[in-house]
Amino acid sequence: MTKNVRVRFAPSPTGPLHIGGVRTALFNYLYAKKNNGKFILRIEDTDQNRYVEGAERYIMDALNWCGMDFDEGPGKNEKFGPYRQSERKDLYKQYADQLIGSGNAYYAFDTAEALDFHRKDHETKGKTFIYNWHNRLKLKNSLSLSAEDVKAKLDAGEDYVIRFKSPQDETLHLKDIIRGDIKIDTNILDDKVLFKSDGMPTYHLANIVDDHLMEISHVIRGEEWLPSLALHYQLYQAFGWDAPEFAHLPLILKPTGKGKLSKRDGDKMGFPVFPIEWTDPKTNEVSRGYKEDGYFPEAMVNFLAFLGWNPGTEQEIFSLEELVQAFDLKKVNKSGARFDPDKTKWFNHHYMQEQNDNILAKKFKSIIPELSEIDENYVTMVVGLIKERATFVSDFWELSHFFFTPPTAYDEKAAKKAFKEGTLELMEKLKTIILHIDDFTVTALQKDIKGWITDNEIGFGKVMMPLRLALVGALQGPDVFDIMFMIGKNETVKRIENVIKTL
Ligand code: GLU
């Protein structure tokens, strides 16, 4: 009974993709790859009022940056295409008509003002207005009007919508892979609009028709679509089609654990909520992205995977390929996943260690003007020495400036600790030892300097602390022998002479 797995990511191009959307795409991608299935991108752009220029490109760029190639989608393997709903527009009307024909849907002519009046009227009576079985006969539609009236209105080109006729007194049994069995009393459902007289389907109709025509086997989407599940089930039933399986992913919660993560949380707490930078085409407002903030796509994919899923083991580091192997929809949690910005940094720090030093060096050079003239091989070696302390390439300068420029001051607190009586003489002696080392390698430096310290029972701190201050300006940085080797004999001696002058 294994069916071909075909899943889709179906964003609406109404703006940049929130990381929650990227997580949905990722879980679809993982499920498809795990099951030798297809990952499809469908652009749900039926709501032209909310269409935003550039959003579709952004979605594709974001997927591409994360390494999630789609198998079918706009411009690619258009076997079930087109994959933009606006280009499928002419296809939906016949399905709405089919539902009218079978008695599962009806025309409604109520104006916006009339509906508004009912809504307010109910409110004043402390009730909620629901357009369904209990009042539809009192409203203006093809169930309450005569056939002639309906025909006359349609012929006259009056505005209408087509509504789904939700049944009375039934219990629906829905299934969700993550949430299990869900029972819904149809009496609480309203008669949702499926189609409008402007010729456009609503999300519900287009979504179901396309999932059916594109032979989607599993619908994996955010929890916010769970309330639509009852209608979607009924639509499949009304059409006589097999429904796909459903999995509704848990919400992504604020770092406090309370409420849904919003764009404003990111602004407030200083972390991005979008994968890549986005400039609003209308306001020119720029929203920062993980990419531009210096995150590696591997880190982003890894932390997104853990928002609502875990492998059930202690392992936290997963490449995209490893995620494909380990992923299981049954291990996705029902409850909301708290977003932890510190953990995203932890992942980035990890993936920093796996990056190629030369590529990092190129990025480093591109952001620090002081490095433009410096040899790339040298920068690459520096990167190799300091990256274990870095989370972002933007941390590099702070961690490595002393490889490129001598310290201009010595950290006061550190100086108090390091510069003692006798330091001057020790530094003079050290300088002579260094001047005598011809083979200026880390091994030779270690051998001669450590040898001198132990032979004379000087104590390592007494030499190493002032030496480090001379080289770095603070009690920080990688191994002093590495630093000396990197900056070379002349520069090492110069820096020791500088410190001697201040003693
Ligand atoms: N277009 C919907 C969205 O923007 C798709 C929901 C679904 O996957 O059914 O999220």
Side-chain angles (χ1 to χ4, degrees), residues 23 93 202 207 253 265 309 426 432 461 466-467 485 490:
R23 198 257 328 240
K93 177 71 171 33
T202 60
N207 187 271
L253 306 176
D265 299 318
W309 170 86
L426 286 172
T432 332
L467 173 58
F485 169 70
N490 285 346

Side-chain angles (χ1 to χ4, degrees), residues 26-191:
L26 175 64
F27 283 23
N28 273 283
Y29 175 87
L30 297 177
Y31 191 75
K33 297 297 144 187
K34 168 92 189 219
N35 295 287
N36 293 318
K38 296 276 183 267
F39 172 57
I40 294 149
L41 175 66
R42 184 171 74 224
I43 301 294
E44 300 209 325
D45 55 353
T46 51
D47 190 349
Q48 290 295 320
N49 296 326
R50 295 182 62 217
Y51 182 83
V52 172
E53 199 58 49
E56 182 185 314
R57 182 74 261 154
Y58 179 95
I59 290 164
M60 292 194 185
D61 289 347
L63 295 182
N64 190 29
W65 182 59
C66 293
M68 292 187 259
D69 266 349
F70 52 88
D71 299 301
E72 293 169 27
K76 191 169 176 190
N77 293 333
E78 300 217 359
K79 189 157 119 203
F80 292 83
Y83 292 84
R84 267 183 215 104
Q85 288 185 327
S86 58
E87 292 169 14
R88 304 169 65 79
K89 197 176 140 198
D90 297 336
L91 195 118
Y92 303 111
K93 177 71 171 33
Q94 56 184 297
Y95 291 99
D97 289 344
Q98 187 182 327
L99 292 181
I100 290 190
S102 62
N104 286 296
Y106 59 90
Y107 293 105
F109 302 96
D110 315 271
T111 59
E113 295 75 40
L115 292 176
D116 212 39
F117 168 79
H118 289 302
R119 233 171 264 132
K120 290 207 175 109
D121 183 49
H122 273 67
E123 250 168 54
T124 52
K125 292 174 187 149
K127 292 192 209 155
T128 320
F129 174 71
I130 307 180
Y131 201 128
N132 68 1
W133 56 274
H134 91 273
N135 61 11
R136 61 168 85 100
L137 290 181
K138 290 183 221 144
L139 295 153
K140 255 201 204 158
N141 52 55
S142 55
L143 301 174
S144 63
L145 302 167
S146 70
E148 295 78 54
D149 280 353
V150 172
K151 189 172 180 309
K153 282 181 183 299
L154 292 176
D155 288 347
E158 250 186 56
D159 277 351
Y160 68 83
V161 296
I162 296 177
R163 286 181 182 271
F164 185 72
K165 191 178 165 200
S166 205
Q168 183 180 353
D169 294 335
E170 278 182 26
T171 304
L172 297 172
H173 295 269
L174 317 177
K175 264 193 185 3
D176 182 277
I177 297 173
I178 297 164
R179 285 144 216 281
D181 295 338
I182 305 166
K183 264 196 238 164
I184 300 278
D185 172 2
T186 57
N187 288 348
I188 61 160
L189 301 175
D190 60 340
D191 291 353

Side-chain angles (χ1 to χ4, degrees), residues 8 10-12 44 203 207 211 219-221 224-225 232:
R8 86 299 194 272
S12 301
E44 300 209 325
Y203 153 73
N207 187 271
D211 281 348
V219 168
I220 304 167
R221 61 185 173 192
E224 62 274 26
W225 299 103
H232 294 181

